[in-house]
Amino acid sequence: MTRRVWTAAELEAMDSSQVDAIFEDSIIWDIDDAPQDLLARSRERIMRRIEEAESTQQT
């Protein structure tokens, strides 16, 4: 699903309740709905940090 991208000018023209509603609507609550490339990059970064933390704890 492609989400609408709002420009700064569009957001600035709205009142704060409209901006808040857009923000709330943009939150992905179910991990199955998240972009898979984002999840893959996040997993890689997390695993790299775990490996680094474990290697420094062993020395």
Side-chain angles (χ1 to χ4, degrees), residues 37-55:
D37 61 322
L38 173 64
L39 292 176
R41 289 192 320 266
S42 297
R43 284 187 185 106
E44 289 173 18
R45 190 168 43 248
I46 291 166
M47 294 307 295
R48 193 168 43 248
R49 288 187 181 178
I50 290 170
E51 290 171 3
E52 290 170 1
E54 288 176 348
S55 68

Side-chain angles (χ1 to χ4, degrees), residues 8-52:
E10 290 172 320
L11 292 170
E12 289 170 352
M14 297 177 190
D15 65 47
S16 62
S17 64
Q18 290 173 305
V19 175
D20 289 346
I22 291 169
F23 176 78
E24 290 294 324
D25 288 342
S26 72
I27 297 173
I28 298 172
W29 295 103
D30 187 344
I31 197 167
D32 292 332
D33 296 333
Q36 293 303 304
D37 61 322
L38 173 64
L39 292 176
R41 289 192 320 266
S42 297
R43 284 187 185 106
E44 289 173 18
R45 190 168 43 248
I46 291 166
M47 294 307 295
R48 193 168 43 248
R49 288 187 181 178
I50 290 170
E51 290 171 3
E52 290 170 1

